[in-house]
Amino acid sequence: PLTLEVKRQKRAQKHTQARRLTQEQIRPGTPEPVEGRVHVHVQTELYLEEISDRIIEVDGECQTDEFLDRPPTPLFIPAKSGKDVATQIEKGELFDFDIEVKPILEVLVGKTVEQALLEVMEEEELSQLWSHQRAFAELRNAEFAELQRLEEQDRRIREEKERRRLEHLEKLRKQKETAEKIAARAFAQRYLADLIPSVFNNLHDSGFFYDPIERDIETEFLPWLMSEVEEELQKKVLGRTMLDSLIRMVVETRLDEFSRPPPPAQTKAPAEEPGATDAAPKMSGEEDAADQPVAEKEETDQPVAEEEPS
């Protein structure tokens, strides 16, 4: 039951929030101000209230005592440990200048002389080192020059050896190539001895060697003759075609004339009908023979044509 009640309350809250949002969206807002004007908040309540952006401020003062000077920090003195003891020494009891200065002077003079001798010995040793260094440099330069000379000599010997080896190889290659060329030439001569006649025979059989008159007849005269013959045949075919068309036209004309019904004035004189066909040109004896069966057929069909109008 508690869960159902909680769900019902949440559902009611959601409906309320949705209704409020809908009302806020439906409520019209204030339109934008016209150019040159600005919106200003105006109180519309019954009681006016002063509105100010500046917070009221009040100045207050108080006096404090002046700062006192800090005393200087005292020095750190560690605590004393042990006991104080004092001794009384009279004049001349501990140090006699004449007696105490003599060994000190001897030490200083000895050290100075010893240092001077060491410096002289170092200079002598440096001069000897420099002389040994110069001698060693001269010896090293001489040995380096000799080494370079020996290396150059060895390089020349190796180059000469390599050149001689390459020359020998080139000589052997040329000898081998010459021998191969000689053998190839001999083989080619022996092989081509019988090849040239057979080649000429094959070329002659293939038509590469021809008679100029025969070739002229084949290439010039025969094509011209064939073109003339073809032209004559085309003319004959054209004449036959024209003749066939004329025969067909005459036959169709006669067929149309015989298929027409005779006029009433000519029904009494049927013997005069063939006279109308005499006006047509006679092409040959074959045309008349071809037209006779058609005329007879048309004459047999004439009474039927006469009955149809009645």
Side-chain angles (χ1 to χ4, degrees), residues 166-270:
L166 294 176
E167 288 179 356
H168 183 66
L169 293 176
E170 185 68 18
K171 183 178 179 181
L172 292 177
R173 187 183 65 80
K174 287 183 178 180
Q175 290 179 357
K176 183 178 179 181
E177 185 177 357
T178 304
E180 290 178 355
K181 286 182 178 180
I182 293 171
R185 183 177 180 182
F187 177 76
Q189 288 179 355
R190 186 171 62 255
Y191 179 74
L192 294 176
D194 299 331
L195 183 63
I196 294 175
S198 62
V199 168
F200 278 102
N201 292 331
N202 292 332
L203 291 175
H204 188 273
D205 295 338
S206 300
F208 287 96
F209 300 105
Y210 55 86
D211 188 3
I213 299 175
E214 183 180 357
R215 176 58 61 89
D216 191 11
I217 292 173
E218 291 179 354
T219 57
E220 299 294 337
F221 178 71
L222 289 180
W224 172 81
L225 182 61
M226 294 300 294
S227 62
E228 293 294 330
V229 170
E230 185 177 0
E231 186 176 356
E232 285 294 327
L233 291 176
Q234 288 180 357
K235 290 180 180 180
K236 289 184 179 181
V237 170
L238 180 61
R240 290 181 181 179
T241 305
M242 294 296 294
L243 181 60
D244 293 340
S245 62
L246 290 174
I247 293 171
R248 188 180 299 106
M249 183 177 63
V250 171
V251 171
E252 290 177 355
T253 305
R254 291 185 178 183
L255 181 60
D256 292 339
E257 290 178 355
F258 284 116
S259 62
R260 294 175 185 173
Q266 296 179 2
T267 54
K268 296 180 180 181

Side-chain angles (χ1 to χ4, degrees), residues 78-103:
K80 186 181 293 186
S81 61
K83 296 180 179 180
D84 296 336
V85 177
T87 303
Q88 180 64 33
I89 298 175
E90 297 295 337
K91 183 178 180 181
E93 290 183 357
L94 294 179
F95 181 74
D96 187 359
F97 182 80
D98 295 335
I99 296 173
E100 296 294 338
V101 167
K102 185 177 179 180

Side-chain angles (χ1 to χ4, degrees), residues 26-251:
I26 293 174
R27 184 183 304 168
T30 305
E32 293 295 331
V34 187
E35 185 179 358
R37 297 186 181 182
V38 183
H39 286 319
V40 178
H41 294 283
V42 180
Q43 294 183 5
T44 57
E45 289 80 4
L46 296 177
Y47 301 97
L48 298 178
E49 181 183 356
E50 184 180 0
I51 298 175
S52 176
D53 295 337
R54 186 172 181 278
I55 301 174
I56 299 175
E57 299 177 357
V58 178
D59 296 336
E61 297 179 358
C62 63
Q63 182 66 34
T64 58
D65 296 334
E66 296 181 357
F67 291 102
L68 299 177
D69 295 335
R70 180 182 176 184
T73 303
L75 297 176
F76 175 73
I77 299 175
K80 186 181 293 186
S81 61
K83 296 180 179 180
D84 296 336
V85 177
T87 303
Q88 180 64 33
I89 298 175
E90 297 295 337
K91 183 178 180 181
E93 290 183 357
L94 294 179
F95 181 74
D96 187 359
F97 182 80
D98 295 335
I99 296 173
E100 296 294 338
V101 167
K102 185 177 179 180
I104 294 174
L105 290 175
E106 290 179 355
V107 170
L108 290 175
V109 172
K111 287 292 183 182
T112 302
V113 174
E114 185 179 359
Q115 187 69 24
L117 291 175
L118 289 175
E119 290 179 358
V120 172
M121 291 175 64
E122 287 179 358
E123 290 179 357
E124 292 291 334
E125 186 177 1
L126 287 175
S127 62
Q128 291 180 2
L129 288 175
W130 288 343
S131 61
H132 285 296
Q133 188 175 3
R134 285 193 297 271
F136 177 76
E138 291 177 358
L139 181 62
R140 186 185 63 181
N141 293 332
E143 291 179 354
F144 185 70
E146 184 67 17
L147 179 62
Q148 288 183 347
R149 188 183 65 79
L150 293 176
E151 288 180 353
E152 185 67 20
Q153 183 180 0
D154 184 47
R155 185 183 63 79
R156 289 197 300 271
I157 292 172
R158 283 189 285 104
E159 289 180 355
E160 183 67 19
K161 184 178 179 181
E162 185 68 19
R163 187 172 60 81
R164 294 290 179 87
R165 187 179 67 84
L166 294 176
E167 288 179 356
H168 183 66
L169 293 176
E170 185 68 18
K171 183 178 179 181
L172 292 177
R173 187 183 65 80
K174 287 183 178 180
Q175 290 179 357
K176 183 178 179 181
E177 185 177 357
T178 304
E180 290 178 355
K181 286 182 178 180
I182 293 171
R185 183 177 180 182
F187 177 76
Q189 288 179 355
R190 186 171 62 255
Y191 179 74
L192 294 176
D194 299 331
L195 183 63
I196 294 175
S198 62
V199 168
F200 278 102
N201 292 331
N202 292 332
L203 291 175
H204 188 273
D205 295 338
S206 300
F208 287 96
F209 300 105
Y210 55 86
D211 188 3
I213 299 175
E214 183 180 357
R215 176 58 61 89
D216 191 11
I217 292 173
E218 291 179 354
T219 57
E220 299 294 337
F221 178 71
L222 289 180
W224 172 81
L225 182 61
M226 294 300 294
S227 62
E228 293 294 330
V229 170
E230 185 177 0
E231 186 176 356
E232 285 294 327
L233 291 176
Q234 288 180 357
K235 290 180 180 180
K236 289 184 179 181
V237 170
L238 180 61
R240 290 181 181 179
T241 305
M242 294 296 294
L243 181 60
D244 293 340
S245 62
L246 290 174
I247 293 171
R248 188 180 299 106
M249 183 177 63
V250 171
V251 171

